[in-house]
Amino acid sequence: MSWEDNVRKVVPYVAGEQPKNQDIIKLNTNENPYPPAPRVAAVIKGFDYDILRRYPDQNVSALVSALAGHHGLDREQVFVGVGSDDVLAMSFLTCFNSGKPILFPDITYSFYDVWADLYRIPYENQPLDENFCIRKEDYIRDNGGIILANPNAPTGVASERSVYEEIIRANPDSVVIIDEAYVDFGGESCVPLIGKYDNLLVMQTFSKSRSMAGLRIGYAMGSKKLIKYLSDVKFSFNSYTMSNLAIAAGVASVEDEAYFAETTAKVVATRERTKRELARLGFVFPDSKTNFIFAAHRAVPGQELFEALRANGIYVRHWNKPRIENYLRISVGTDEEMDKVLAFLEDYLKNKE
């Protein structure tokens, strides 16, 4: 018997590479290519660092109020945490305790099974169809909870709100979590369903559409009862999760709606142009509603393209897993960055002929 026998062991989530070399085109972690809103910059530049000697507001009141107003909810329907990963992990711990398997797709955000393993939650993967879409009937069955990303990652596929409503309605005895990390780029949010279903929890983040991955702000929205349970677990874990700076910058971002709309539209426009060019070069991909494109070439293996791109200072994401081994997840950068990526791919593919 060893002390190691009593240690919890898990296989951790592997995040996208964060290279020290900045002289690259970094399209591997779905970061926004544009800076945070001007109001965020103003808050950071004028921030009174003396405040940092005091604990922050444990209720994150200013940011909760801003988000509640933005989404048309009551303050008691919003929960804020340190990035959506923190909020999702807390939600797994709070909501999935029946002992029955929770359900999520076989191709989705690869942190879901890590959290399930960490908290000893049984789970079953439901296969996406041949078009990388969920099949709602797979989630209308006995379960201990459901977690679905809409739009999904890494595929970029979005389903209509009505599909998720059928799943939520059919599972009144389970919490259904909809992870909307990418919803601002073209998905249909389930936030309007919160008033109808008290078992629904919707996640969003500042990391993608609000260009604030480095400040770690994520949040959940749901019924007052569900948010209360989530908050109770959070306060049993860590009372002070959000820094004073993150709270102030988060409020400023929510208030700068015009900039948010402008930069999100720019990403979408670049994505659509890139999709057309990739198709011209022989790539196939599901219709992305995110800030990335999940693309496979008709003739050249994904691993080969991944290595060629990386060798030339272009970082994208690749998973050597069944069904998706030939796909690359390419984040949408600026127009200039995407032009360089497309030019490289065109030259590389011509040389293969």
Side-chain angles (χ1 to χ4, degrees):
M1 188 72 174
S2 163
W3 62 265
E4 290 184 82
D5 296 323
N6 299 314
V7 171
R8 180 162 299 205
K9 304 176 185 72
V10 292
V11 178
Y13 169 75
V14 179
E17 186 177 358
Q18 296 287 352
K20 293 183 174 62
N21 177 17
Q22 298 300 307
D23 189 25
I24 62 168
I25 297 176
K26 188 175 182 299
L27 305 175
N28 66 331
T29 51
N30 300 339
E31 293 150 329
N32 200 305
Y34 303 107
R39 291 192 190 187
V40 174
V43 163
I44 292 174
K45 289 176 182 177
F47 188 73
D48 180 7
Y49 71 91
D50 184 60
I51 294 174
L52 296 179
R53 64 188 176 85
R54 298 193 180 279
Y55 286 110
D57 172 16
Q58 63 179 350
N59 294 312
V60 199
S61 302
L63 184 52
V64 166
S65 294
L67 288 168
H70 177 73
H71 289 285
L73 299 171
D74 293 334
R75 293 182 69 262
E76 296 82 8
Q77 294 178 287
V78 178
F79 173 95
V80 176
V82 187
S84 60
D85 285 344
D86 174 68
V87 180
L88 282 162
M90 203 68 63
S91 300
F92 270 58
L93 184 61
T94 304
C95 301
F96 298 153
N97 295 289
S98 71
K100 298 178 182 178
I102 64 170
L103 309 177
F104 51 87
D106 61 337
I107 303 171
T108 191
Y109 186 29
S110 53
F111 223 142
Y112 297 160
D113 56 351
V114 174
W115 286 316
D117 288 338
L118 176 64
Y119 296 132
R120 305 298 191 255
I121 301 168
Y123 65 91
E124 293 178 4
N125 295 127
Q126 308 304 305
L128 299 176
D129 68 17
E130 65 277 8
N131 297 313
F132 294 133
C133 295
I134 64 168
R135 294 179 291 208
K136 61 187 177 186
E137 57 270 21
D138 291 340
Y139 300 91
I140 302 176
R141 43 165 288 199
D142 191 38
N143 63 78
I146 296 169
I147 171 79
L148 296 166
N150 186 44
N152 193 23
T155 63
V157 174
S159 298
E160 295 179 352
R161 183 190 300 141
S162 59
V163 172
Y164 297 96
E165 183 166 15
E166 286 192 54
I167 293 171
I168 298 162
R169 186 191 303 121
N171 289 280
D173 297 326
S174 299
V175 174
V176 179
I177 299 175
I178 307 297
D179 183 355
E180 295 186 345
Y182 300 97
V183 74
D184 294 323
F185 299 105
E188 190 176 17
S189 178
C190 286
V191 170
L193 301 179
I194 289 173
K196 296 176 64 176
Y197 304 99
D198 61 5
N199 63 322
L200 168 64
L201 198 60
V202 179
M203 304 287 171
Q204 293 191 15
T205 179
F206 282 54
S207 295
K208 315 300 182 185
S209 56
R210 294 192 179 275
S211 306
M212 293 173 68
L215 266 182
R216 315 306 303 128
I217 303 174
Y219 60 105
M221 296 165 283
S223 65
K224 294 180 181 180
K225 181 184 292 187
L226 188 49
I227 295 299
K228 173 65 164 57
Y229 288 137
L230 190 56
S231 296
D232 287 346
V233 171
K234 178 247 185 175
F235 286 124
S236 302
F237 191 82
N238 186 353
S239 295
Y240 302 103
T241 55
M242 298 295 299
S243 72
N244 285 312
L245 179 59
I247 294 170
V251 171
S253 177
V254 175
E255 290 175 344
D256 208 331
E257 185 64 26
Y259 181 83
F260 166 74
E262 176 190 348
T263 53
T264 302
K266 286 167 69 174
V267 171
V268 170
T270 303
R271 179 192 71 201
E272 295 305 303
R273 181 178 68 84
T274 303
K275 283 157 65 172
R276 292 191 294 270
E277 291 301 304
L278 286 174
R280 180 180 64 81
L281 294 174
F283 285 86
V284 294
F285 43 84
D287 186 24
S288 173
K289 297 297 181 182
T290 63
N291 66 337
F292 60 83
I293 301 166
F294 195 58
H297 195 265
R298 296 180 186 275
V300 183
Q303 182 70 38
E304 178 182 336
L305 286 172
F306 171 75
E307 292 174 356
L309 286 160
R310 193 178 190 282
N312 284 271
I314 301 171
Y315 284 51
V316 298
R317 198 84 194 266
H318 174 258
W319 290 270
N320 189 22
K321 294 182 177 181
R323 298 185 68 189
I324 62 172
E325 64 271 10
N326 280 325
Y327 283 83
L328 302 176
R329 193 194 68 188
I330 307 169
S331 303
V332 177
T334 63
D335 282 321
E336 180 183 15
E337 288 175 325
M338 302 315 291
D339 285 342
K340 291 178 180 178
V341 173
L342 292 165
F344 170 80
L345 288 171
E346 185 156 23
D347 287 345
Y348 185 84
L349 294 169
K350 278 183 179 178
N351 291 331
K352 293 285 294 183
E353 294 175 355

